[in-house]
Amino acid sequence: MAHADEVEVLHWWTSGGEAAALDVLKKDLESKGVTWKDMPVAGGGGEAAMTALRARVTAGNPPTAVQALGFDITDWAKQGTLGDLNEVATAEGWDNVIPAALQNFSKYDGKWIAAPVNVHSTNWVWINKAALDAAGGKAPETWDEMVVVLDKMKANGITPLAHGGQAWQEATMFDAVVLSMGPDFYKASMIDLDPAALSGDKMVEVFNRMAKLRSYVDDNFSGRDWNLASAMVIEGKGGMQMMGDWAKGEFLKAGKKPGVDFVCIRFPGTQGAVTFNSDQFMMFKVGEDKQKAQLLMASAIENPSFQSAFNVVKGSVPARTDVPNDAFDDCGKKGMADLAEANTKGTLMGSMAHGHAAPAAVKNAVYDVVTRHFNGEMDSAAAAAALAEAVAAAKG
Ligand code: BGC
């Protein structure tokens, strides 16, 4: 017999830090009498999870709740496969406490279809504190200062840039490098998909910077998982990692403290702007027997104390604007302040790498060009031209 209150949850939170955060959710639901049926699909960025999901939906048997990002949620909503959370969302006033930038993806046709858990952002750099001290001790604020630090780390005999050679990880770095050419340029190229911005001189410079970063990774980078790159920085074998704030979850899981063992900075040149992605649990249309548990889960996720407890562990910041920052460490407090500032200034923009700037077809076209260039298959001028072409084709 199936449990009366059971949720089957598809997600890609399988690293140490991610699993610790997931456990906060699992335990919270269990305390409310909801049984958790786990469906983990490993693979950072969630591509493999989305493939597994398609198979389940095609078989006519979708999970209750699915971790998903941005435009992927909208795509499923368009197909009419998602449920309706309005009963809970209205009673709990979600409209008033969840930022509009998130609601754009959590709602479709006036209906809440997903419950946002958090806000991550991709323009961060995670630096080993001892390695930084050995390289002069000053966190870089500009691209040129960062190059100086990377060179010193290289001279000190460590891998300056800990990186995992997977398309989504290169794309995550690319988000930050594009943003370092200015928020207007990020918007024109990644959000508006303007062909002139995609192919122009600034984009050539972005690719030059990517090539420069490529020169700081070790020989074994190819295929490495992101959390293993984090581990290199944690252990001091790597100097820094350019990665979203889920990386902080790995540092915390390893018992490391911000400001003491590691330093978090915005990617030099992107201060004051944020490229965000929000993990949301999209809720599928399920039989009546499962609806109660689904609504219970949605409500539990939006509970302010849960939002605090979960995001403290995950490395992200709350999806609600009314959660106090007391429980967060300095990186988390900075993340919350940066988000609010960017939101006010109009410099809060969706991450291309994590599905919040454009639909999957465009995202995949960007992945392809960025990763081919990173692996030396073309020079920077050719890459900018190829990017504009690939995006135009994917836009259809
Ligand atoms: C998700 C994070 C996750 C990361 C690595 C991102 O797309 O938003 O929650 O930790 O991928 O798996």
Side-chain angles (χ1 to χ4, degrees):
M1 197 190 86
H3 293 278
D5 288 330
E6 178 185 86
V7 285
E8 186 188 6
V9 186
L10 194 163
H11 64 89
W12 64 92
W13 285 336
T14 55
S15 78
E18 290 173 334
L22 187 77
D23 212 45
V24 177
L25 176 58
K26 227 191 253 179
K27 294 224 165 82
D28 186 83
L29 290 177
E30 275 161 11
S31 77
K32 297 180 165 73
V34 178
T35 314
W36 182 276
K37 188 170 170 199
D38 206 30
M39 186 177 175
V41 181
E47 267 185 291
M50 288 302 106
T51 306
L53 172 63
R54 274 190 292 278
R56 284 287 302 264
V57 179
T58 309
N61 178 28
T64 320
V66 177
Q67 180 194 355
L69 299 172
F71 282 89
D72 288 340
I73 304 174
T74 312
D75 278 352
W76 284 109
K78 278 187 186 151
Q79 294 180 38
T81 46
L82 301 186
D84 181 353
L85 305 177
N86 272 8
E87 185 187 324
V88 174
T90 308
E92 297 180 358
W94 293 5
D95 276 299
N96 306 323
V97 288
I98 293 172
L102 267 53
Q103 288 192 32
N104 285 340
F105 299 109
S106 336
K107 289 169 87 169
Y108 186 77
D109 236 357
K111 254 195 286 177
W112 283 85
I113 46 170
V117 195
N118 63 8
V119 185
H120 272 302
S121 53
T122 53
N123 58 319
W124 287 104
V125 184
W126 308 91
I127 315 178
N128 179 293
K129 176 79 163 60
L132 181 64
D133 288 344
K138 185 181 172 294
E141 287 174 25
T142 63
W143 170 261
D144 291 342
E145 284 179 15
M146 184 162 68
V147 168
V148 171
V149 172
L150 286 161
D151 282 336
K152 285 194 180 141
M153 288 175 167
K154 194 174 200 169
N156 290 341
I158 60 170
T159 298
L161 180 57
H163 173 67
Q166 296 174 345
W168 75 270
Q169 295 188 58
E170 269 117 45
T172 301
M173 221 153 48
F174 184 75
D175 269 2
V177 177
V178 174
L179 188 61
S180 76
M181 304 299 292
D184 292 345
F185 178 69
Y186 185 92
K187 181 172 181 297
S189 58
M190 298 291 109
I191 309 278
D192 300 340
L193 308 178
D194 168 13
L198 286 163
S199 63
D201 290 350
K202 277 197 178 165
M203 192 55 81
V204 176
E205 178 56 17
V206 165
F207 280 109
N208 283 337
R209 288 183 173 191
M210 290 298 288
K212 182 75 179 159
L213 294 176
R214 167 71 180 83
S215 73
Y216 295 109
V217 311
D218 65 329
D219 290 343
N220 298 322
F221 81 102
S222 198
R224 174 187 289 137
D225 285 332
W226 68 273
N227 54 315
L228 299 182
S230 306
M232 289 169 68
V233 180
I234 290 169
E235 290 159 15
K237 294 180 187 143
M240 62 179 84
Q241 182 184 23
M242 297 161 181
M243 188 43 69
D245 38 15
W246 46 91
K248 193 184 81 177
E250 298 304 300
F251 284 84
L252 300 182
K253 184 84 201 341
K256 303 297 179 190
K257 302 244 165 341
V260 179
D261 306 301
F262 69 96
V263 174
C264 57
I265 58 166
R266 288 295 174 180
F267 189 98
T270 72
Q271 297 90 337
V274 169
T275 40
F276 81 97
N277 63 300
S278 163
D279 291 303
Q280 309 210 9
F281 279 101
M282 58 179 175
M283 302 295 184
F284 276 81
K285 270 187 189 150
V286 288
E288 256 172 51
D289 56 327
K290 292 185 184 155
Q291 280 168 15
K292 184 177 156 219
Q294 190 174 55
L295 293 178
L296 266 172
M297 178 173 175
S299 167
I301 287 172
E302 299 314 329
N303 179 291
S305 16
F306 168 78
Q307 286 271 329
S308 179
F310 176 89
N311 287 302
V312 158
V313 179
K314 183 68 172 69
S316 38
V317 303
R320 297 175 61 116
T321 51
D322 61 345
V323 177
N325 72 358
D326 311 5
F328 289 80
D329 60 31
D330 288 349
C331 297
K333 286 192 169 82
K334 176 172 168 51
M336 288 171 81
D338 289 352
L339 181 68
E341 184 198 341
N343 194 24
T344 315
K345 287 191 359 198
T347 53
L348 174 65
M349 291 173 288
S351 154
M352 172 59 81
H354 294 267
H356 282 66
V362 171
K363 178 185 89 168
N364 291 334
V366 173
Y367 275 23
D368 184 54
V369 175
V370 168
T371 210
R372 275 164 49 211
H373 169 267
F374 198 76
N375 286 295
E377 286 178 37
M378 49 185 151
D379 67 19
S380 298
L387 185 69
E389 223 171 274
V391 167
K395 264 200 306 188

